[in-house]
Amino acid sequence: MSEFLSPVKRILVNHKIKFGVFCFVLILWLFCLPKNLFEAPTSTVVDSSEGSLIGARIADDGQWRFPQIDSVPDRFKQSILLFEDEYFYRHPGFNPISIIKAIGHNLTKETRRGGSTITQQVIRLSRKNQSRTYWEKLIEVFMSTRLELRHSKEDILKLYASHTPYGGNVVGLETAAWRYFGIPAHELSWGQSAALAVLPNAPALIFPGRNELAFLDKRNRLLKKLWEKEVIDETTYELAIAEPLPQKPFPLPNVAPHLTERIRNEHPGQRIKTSLQRPLQQRLNLLAERHYRQLQSNEIHNLAILVLDVETRKVLGYVGNSPSDKTHANYVDIITKKRSTGSTLKPFLFASLLDEGQLLPHSLVEDVPTVINGYHPQNFDLNHVGAVPASKALSRSLNVPAVRLLREYGLQKFYNKLHKMNMESLDRPSSYYGLSLILGGAESSLWEVTSTYASMASTLNYFSNHSGTYRNQEFTQSTYLHNETPDFGEEQFDPLVFGAGAIYSTFQSMYEVNRPEGDENWQFFDSSQPIAWKTGTSFGFKDAWAVGVTPKYAIGVWVGNADGEGRPGLTGITAAAPLLFDVLDALPQSGWFQEPFDDLVELEVCAESGFRASVYCDDVKQEWVPTHGTRSGPCPYHQQVFLDTSEQYRVNSECYPLEDMVAKNWLVLPPILEYYYASSNPNYKPLPPYLEGCSALEIDLMEFIYPKRNEIVLLPKDLGTKTSEIILKLAHQQSNAIIYWYLDELFIGKTENFHELVLPIEPGEYMLTTVDNQGNRIQQVVEVRSASGE
């Protein structure tokens, strides 16, 4: 019995061994492929919104290897199947007949023939081209069958087309199409497709001037085979064989180099479809080059342009720098770099004041010499106009009114509002910036500033088109991704930052009044379509800005030197605005903003002062203002005065019969405002003088212009003497007044008409007193110091 069982046991053991081997092989086969067949780094590839290539960056291993293609073009597919693997759709990963023929050929002839299928070639490429031994062939066959089970035939073709070498450092069909023919793969002709189909079989053929006959013979034989197989007709065949072979590689498109580099840093190794419009981008590149050539003569070497779609907040054009050279840092993407904002934040303050009813669009604001805790802001032209409509102060970018309005509004309050507008570059406390925040004391990027302007325009558009509602994340940052939609949040009835009425009034001021006075070249800034725009210039002429919005587009322009070197004439109006308007002319028409009547009220406004009309305003007009404009106070400058019957002198009850007095409404500015306002407004009528024997009852007849209260007078140093001269200035409402000047009760002089007095003085503290011929007096402490600190 035991003799009978022994053979049975051996048979069972053999079956177990065979079954174990089978299981082992099956498990090995199931897990023989890595999760990711190819781990090699890929190039960063950037496409426009139309799907055309606008830039690429080489892979980390120095290869031009585009990410895997989505589909294999039919011409290339037909060519490669006929050349490499005619039975691709029939075999399980390997072709036994081809392998047998290859072995027979290799054993009987000196040349070598391969019998690998496309699937096997994919495996060989994934294994980094191991040595071609029979054992390696066996491994390829084994893994190929598993690949066929895991992937569809189409996916295998895509793997082959994406990872096949094409000579040099060119890998993949899409890369080869661009490098050798300068077109995308789906645009390849039959001749070009055939050339790229035979090239992986012998990539050394691609060297220009060498092996061209062998390359041509291979390609033409494939084209003839395509004709014989009736894949192409005779005419197509004849045209295809007449096509030239590729020569030296074409440079890849580099339409938006700085955006491409930004994407390489933010999305390395990916193919990114951007929102960029290629025709517009090419136009912007030409404009940038033209303006760079002009600016270069003044040693201004850098500029940047950003164009956004207001509705989608997507990038349409992106010029990160001028076409200069490395010496002038042309590789720096200016759009993302923080620079002094100049006056570009002023419209935000203007809109804030309008929105809260602290200001009406054309209210007079003060523009007089100002000293605030030692800070002495100056207008660009170093002049003052006394009082100016707020809209004009904004459009002319007057610094003094802006600083005074910021102080009135509240520095911290405005700072908080800027953060609500998602201006993250303001990363220091408000006290760090101080009141200079509104004049460029802070830094921001062209990306951030232009996005914020676009958000204001979008807020206005949404309100007008969606029944008077807002979105709670309107001030979100822009995007350059074609398939990304910024999150604007949910609808709400309250504005996030500004109401639509305030924004519309701000834009209206920036559009209607924004004309550089006295500029003979204004026609260069004119445009066929309306735009609300603002310029800005940083301290030291280092940064020139021009930012503008239409209902459809937001445009941001920066001009300057990347290294921060300032240049005379580097101002927003002269250097950046011309480029802004050229960009505007390159964009389609977009009309003007709808008037948001749901957030506007009609108000009686004093025509002369721009304030809400009081009972003393004779010239009144109806004006649409932001809703909260009803909170504003009545005109503070119009008052009733009493004149004699000739209306040439002022009188009062102490010196003139009541029944003979003539009551008149008059625009009366404080002395210092009147002093500057009258010189720039010839139609301004100062108050008539008092009739002889009548005394002034007002207490604010005169005011010191220089020195201002709490202002320290600095004497220049190194003059060889401790004594220096200063000019004392005073404003008086009566043109015929005589002023007597005293320093520490010591009489120092008398002035008439123009009240300016030259005074030799030494460092020290003095009491300055002035008395007019009517007995009115003012005085203040004057502190004089030497600039050397003595």
Side-chain angles (χ1 to χ4, degrees):
M1 188 68 178
S2 59
E3 293 176 357
F4 173 75
L5 290 173
S6 295
V8 174
K9 288 180 178 179
R10 285 196 297 271
I11 292 172
L12 290 174
V13 169
N14 288 336
H15 278 293
K16 286 182 179 180
I17 293 173
K18 290 177 180 178
F19 182 73
V21 171
F22 172 77
C23 290
F24 173 76
V25 173
L26 178 62
I27 292 172
L28 184 64
W29 181 79
L30 287 172
F31 296 98
C32 66
L33 294 180
K35 183 178 180 180
N36 296 314
L37 206 58
F38 294 94
E39 297 286 355
T42 56
S43 302
T44 303
V45 181
V46 181
D47 293 327
S48 69
S49 60
E50 304 88 0
S52 61
L53 182 67
I54 58 173
R57 292 294 180 266
I58 201 165
D60 290 342
D61 61 354
Q63 302 293 305
W64 282 111
R65 184 188 297 105
F66 282 19
Q68 184 171 316
I69 58 177
D70 296 328
S71 61
V72 180
D74 186 65
R75 289 173 183 171
F76 178 78
K77 182 193 293 186
Q78 297 284 0
S79 300
I80 197 66
L81 291 179
L82 203 56
F83 183 75
E84 289 283 3
D85 193 352
E86 197 169 349
Y87 298 96
F88 175 71
Y89 285 102
R90 303 182 201 174
H91 62 64
F94 67 97
N95 188 337
I97 297 174
S98 295
I99 292 175
I100 292 171
K101 286 182 179 179
I103 292 174
H105 178 92
N106 294 339
L107 290 175
T108 57
K109 297 183 180 180
E110 293 183 0
T111 58
R112 288 290 176 265
R113 172 180 173 178
S116 299
T117 63
I118 286 178
T119 311
Q120 287 177 262
Q121 292 184 53
V122 170
I123 294 297
R124 183 170 72 248
L125 291 170
S126 72
R127 290 172 57 77
K128 299 182 179 179
N129 291 315
Q130 299 281 344
S131 58
R132 297 190 177 186
T133 63
Y134 288 110
W135 173 249
E136 182 62 28
K137 285 288 184 183
L138 186 61
I139 293 174
E140 289 175 7
V141 169
F142 184 75
M143 297 178 71
S144 295
T145 57
R146 180 70 183 92
L147 184 63
E148 289 276 347
L149 184 67
R150 193 167 89 176
H151 291 285
S152 68
K153 291 287 187 179
E154 298 304 320
D155 285 342
I156 292 171
L157 273 176
K158 286 189 283 187
L159 287 169
Y160 174 83
S162 299
H163 297 280
T164 302
Y166 282 89
N169 64 346
V170 178
V171 178
L173 171 66
E174 186 70 19
T175 317
W178 278 106
R179 291 290 280 163
Y180 297 137
F181 297 107
I183 57 175
H186 67 270
E187 293 182 9
L188 291 170
S189 65
W190 279 107
Q192 293 166 338
S193 297
L196 293 184
V198 304
L199 190 56
N201 188 260
L205 298 179
I206 197 60
F207 286 96
R210 292 168 48 191
N211 307 318
E212 288 189 3
L213 291 178
F215 191 4
L216 185 66
D217 180 62
K218 272 179 170 287
R219 186 201 69 174
N220 289 349
R221 277 192 281 118
L222 173 57
L223 288 169
K224 188 173 184 181
K225 194 174 181 181
L226 286 166
W227 174 36
E228 292 171 347
K229 293 286 185 178
E230 298 184 350
V231 177
I232 59 176
D233 57 30
E234 183 177 3
T235 302
T236 302
Y237 165 69
E238 290 176 352
L239 290 173
I241 62 175
E243 292 183 38
L245 293 173
Q247 297 298 312
K248 63 180 181 180
F250 284 89
L252 291 173
N254 201 23
V255 180
H258 297 90
L259 179 59
T260 300
E261 190 64 23
R262 178 174 175 178
I263 291 173
R264 185 189 71 81
N265 292 326
E266 296 177 1
H267 305 277
Q270 299 181 43
R271 184 159 200 154
I272 298 297
K273 186 175 184 180
T274 68
S275 54
L276 218 68
Q277 295 180 356
R278 185 186 179 100
L280 174 62
Q281 180 66 29
Q282 291 173 321
R283 175 68 176 150
L284 297 183
N285 289 343
L286 292 174
L287 290 175
E289 182 174 3
R290 191 179 82 193
H291 281 266
Y292 163 67
R293 302 300 174 200
Q294 297 170 356
L295 294 164
Q296 193 179 19
S297 61
N298 191 25
E299 297 184 22
I300 301 170
H301 301 287
N302 304 100
L303 59 82
I305 307 169
L306 180 64
V307 180
L308 302 177
D309 184 295
V310 165
E311 181 180 355
T312 64
R313 216 66 48 79
K314 291 183 178 181
V315 175
L316 303 179
Y318 193 109
V319 179
N321 209 327
S322 60
S324 56
D325 51 38
K326 288 185 177 180
T327 307
H328 299 107
N330 65 333
Y331 51 86
V332 174
D333 184 1
I334 300 291
I335 288 177
T336 61
K337 299 298 179 288
K338 296 203 298 185
R339 308 290 301 201
S340 169
T341 54
S343 298
T344 57
L345 304 186
K346 288 178 181 175
F348 308 151
L349 175 61
F350 186 76
S352 299
L353 289 158
L354 292 178
D355 189 57
E356 298 184 21
Q358 297 186 37
L359 190 69
L360 295 182
H362 306 297
S363 296
L364 290 178
V365 294
E366 295 183 13
D367 178 26
V368 294
T370 301
V371 178
I372 303 172
N373 296 328
Y375 177 50
H376 188 188
Q378 295 281 351
N379 291 326
F380 182 77
D381 60 4
L382 302 180
N383 292 321
H384 301 278
V385 294
V388 59
S391 56
K392 199 169 184 180
L394 173 65
S395 64
R396 292 180 57 195
S397 203
L398 297 177
N399 293 335
V400 174
V403 171
R404 297 178 72 99
L405 288 172
L406 178 57
R407 180 180 63 172
E408 179 184 334
Y409 183 75
L411 174 61
Q412 185 64 45
K413 185 178 176 183
F414 182 61
Y415 175 84
N416 294 341
K417 186 153 283 193
L418 292 176
H419 272 274
K420 270 191 173 183
M421 298 165 71
N422 207 23
M423 297 199 71
E424 298 175 352
S425 59
L426 302 176
D427 52 4
R428 304 202 180 196
S430 61
S431 57
Y432 173 83
Y433 305 108
L435 294 175
S436 68
L437 170 68
I438 201 65
L439 305 184
E443 291 186 336
S444 186
S445 64
L446 188 64
W447 177 268
E448 193 173 67
V449 171
T450 310
S451 293
T452 308
Y453 274 74
S455 298
M456 289 181 70
S458 179
T459 300
L460 179 53
N461 288 343
Y462 194 85
F463 181 90
S464 300
N465 297 326
H466 292 81
S467 304
T469 58
Y470 302 92
R471 294 181 289 192
N472 63 2
Q473 294 186 46
E474 189 68 67
F475 285 81
T476 187
Q477 285 297 319
S478 304
T479 180
Y480 53 74
L481 299 176
H482 181 268
N483 297 321
E484 180 180 76
T485 301
D487 181 12
F488 297 113
E490 300 176 353
E491 278 193 356
Q492 61 183 32
F493 288 103
D494 295 326
L496 178 63
V497 182
F498 314 114
I503 295 174
Y504 180 80
S505 297
T506 301
F507 285 171
Q508 198 71 14
S509 297
M510 294 165 65
Y511 165 55
E512 290 181 347
V513 197
N514 207 332
R515 300 292 185 267
E517 294 188 0
D519 194 329
E520 297 175 356
N521 298 320
W522 169 246
Q523 63 270 21
F524 296 120
F525 304 142
D526 209 353
S527 176
S528 58
Q529 58 178 314
I531 183 173
W533 60 290
K534 183 74 188 72
T535 59
T537 306
S538 69
F539 178 77
F541 304 101
K542 298 178 180 180
D543 306 275
W545 297 75
V547 188
V549 286
T550 71
K552 291 184 178 179
Y553 307 107
I555 308 167
V557 171
W558 177 92
V559 174
N561 287 312
D563 61 4
E565 179 187 358
R567 295 296 304 166
L570 180 58
T571 66
I573 197 67
T574 58
L579 179 53
L580 171 78
F581 278 87
D582 279 349
V583 172
L584 178 65
D585 288 340
L587 295 170
Q589 287 283 335
S590 62
W592 186 241
F593 296 95
Q594 296 182 45
E595 204 162 0
F597 289 107
D598 288 346
D599 197 43
L600 295 172
V601 294
E602 199 168 19
L603 196 66
E604 283 193 344
V605 174
C606 182
E608 283 186 282
S609 69
F611 284 91
R612 188 158 61 89
S614 70
V615 294
Y616 301 122
C617 294
D618 291 332
D619 189 1
V620 175
K621 63 180 181 179
Q622 297 291 324
E623 188 174 279
W624 289 96
V625 302
T627 303
H628 291 155
T630 54
R631 299 176 181 174
S632 62
C635 178
Y637 298 132
H638 275 87
Q639 57 184 258
Q640 193 174 59
V641 298
F642 296 96
L643 307 178
D644 67 347
T645 54
S646 69
E647 298 186 8
Q648 295 182 10
Y649 297 97
R650 278 187 291 169
V651 295
N652 55 51
S653 58
E654 293 183 355
C655 65
Y656 203 79
L658 287 173
E659 62 273 15
D660 294 335
M661 291 184 186
V662 178
K664 285 282 186 178
N665 295 330
W666 210 283
L667 177 66
V668 182
L669 297 177
I672 191 168
L673 270 66
E674 183 183 77
Y675 176 83
Y676 290 100
Y677 186 81
S679 61
S680 56
N681 292 271
N683 293 328
Y684 175 74
K685 295 181 179 179
L687 282 171
Y690 273 94
L691 185 67
E692 187 175 352
C694 292
S695 60
L697 300 179
E698 294 86 353
I699 60 172
D700 294 325
L701 281 172
M702 52 184 168
E703 186 175 350
F704 287 113
I705 298 173
Y706 183 83
K708 295 289 292 180
R709 188 175 299 278
N710 300 323
E711 179 179 11
I712 297 174
V713 179
L714 290 179
L715 301 179
K717 59 183 178 179
D718 299 327
L719 295 180
T721 176
K722 289 186 177 182
T723 302
S724 184
E725 292 182 342
I726 63 172
I727 301 177
L728 305 175
K729 295 183 181 181
L730 179 136
H732 198 290
Q733 279 193 341
Q734 295 185 15
S735 58
N736 61 350
I738 301 174
I739 305 297
Y740 302 91
W741 299 77
Y742 299 87
L743 196 67
D744 287 344
E745 304 300 329
L746 178 67
F747 177 72
I748 56 174
K750 179 180 73 172
T751 57
E752 298 182 43
N753 299 324
F754 297 102
H755 305 296
E756 297 183 3
L757 184 70
V758 178
L759 176 68
I761 198 169
E762 295 182 2
E765 190 172 289
Y766 305 90
M767 177 62 72
L768 178 64
T769 305
T770 59
V771 182
D772 68 7
N773 55 330
Q774 298 294 324
N776 301 294
R777 63 185 280 143
I778 59 171
Q779 62 181 182
Q780 72 178 41
V781 175
V782 176
E783 185 177 352
V784 180
R785 293 182 188 175
S786 170
S788 61
E790 297 177 5

